[in-house]
Amino acid sequence: IKLMEDRSPEYIAMFFDAKGSTFRHEMYADYKANRPPMPEDMVVQLPYIKEVTAAFNLPIMEMAGFEADDLIGTVARQAEKAGYSVVIVTGDKDFMQLVDDNVKLYMPKSKGLYKTAGKEEVFEKFGCRPDQVVDVLALMGDKVDCIPGVQGVGPKGAAKLISQFGSLKNM
């Protein structure tokens, strides 16, 4: 509500993960294997969040077999191709790969404030351009999602390698 009041977006949608596994689980059985389930006090809030979202007449986007992240990225790129400026509201660093001239992130902070993330903030966080974030993440892995990465390569080493070679493919 605060975001709508403060920013008055022309279009807005809410994205949710659908229940069940995704195509990533089929590709890699250990995907998110170590991640604990959502806390029960949050689970019980989801129907109310969807109810409030519907009361505001906002579209709710979710699709079996896909995470909300996949849908957000797809819709962001489609909107951008249609000529819109896109703002994604999330605290998830993985979305930094989508940042460009027409896609920005609002990363929630405390008390309803947001830090805007553009290309400069992506470079500060990852040491690379947004289009290279996927390669940096692939090298360093992601413990939260149980993705191993390359042993001995952390964030700084991954950024250095991608800076040196330009891409994982070139490396």
Side-chain angles (χ1 to χ4, degrees):
I1 293 170
K2 182 163 179 38
L3 176 72
M4 291 188 298
E5 289 173 346
D6 291 351
R7 305 294 178 150
S8 302
E10 188 174 353
Y11 300 101
I12 190 170
M14 291 282 287
F15 294 80
F16 294 90
D17 289 331
K19 289 186 179 183
S21 62
T22 69
F23 68 93
R24 285 187 181 82
H25 294 95
E26 293 172 20
M27 292 172 59
Y28 181 56
D30 287 338
Y31 179 65
K32 293 189 177 182
N34 296 332
R35 187 180 277 191
M38 183 184 295
E40 186 58 33
D41 61 339
M42 287 184 67
V43 171
V44 298
Q45 294 178 49
L46 287 175
Y48 298 109
I49 293 169
K50 288 181 178 180
E51 196 175 307
V52 169
T53 300
F56 276 102
N57 202 29
L58 301 176
I60 294 174
M61 312 283 279
E62 62 184 330
M63 183 181 289
F66 296 91
E67 293 181 3
D69 297 11
D70 303 313
L71 302 177
I72 293 167
T74 300
V75 170
R77 286 295 185 234
Q78 289 174 340
E80 181 184 28
K81 284 180 184 171
Y84 294 95
S85 293
V86 177
V87 175
I88 300 170
V89 182
T90 181
D92 188 338
K93 69 179 178 1
D94 293 351
F95 282 97
M96 289 188 160
Q97 65 187 286
L98 297 174
V99 169
D100 64 22
D101 292 336
N102 296 308
V103 178
K104 304 284 184 271
L105 300 182
Y106 286 169
M107 303 189 85
K109 293 171 58 174
S110 63
K111 300 180 183 174
L113 300 173
Y114 297 89
K115 175 183 177 186
T116 302
K119 291 179 182 179
E120 300 79 25
E121 289 78 12
V122 172
F123 191 83
E124 286 173 22
K125 174 78 176 168
F126 288 103
C128 67
R129 300 185 316 262
D131 64 306
Q132 296 171 313
V133 167
V134 172
D135 290 345
V136 169
L137 289 172
L139 286 170
M140 63 186 242
D142 188 340
K143 287 181 172 61
V144 173
D145 289 341
C146 203
I147 298 171
V150 176
Q151 189 171 2
V153 177
K156 290 180 183 177
K160 184 177 177 183
L161 287 166
I162 295 305
S163 175
Q164 180 180 348
F165 293 98
S167 71
L168 193 58
K169 184 178 180 180
N170 289 344
M171 191 175 92

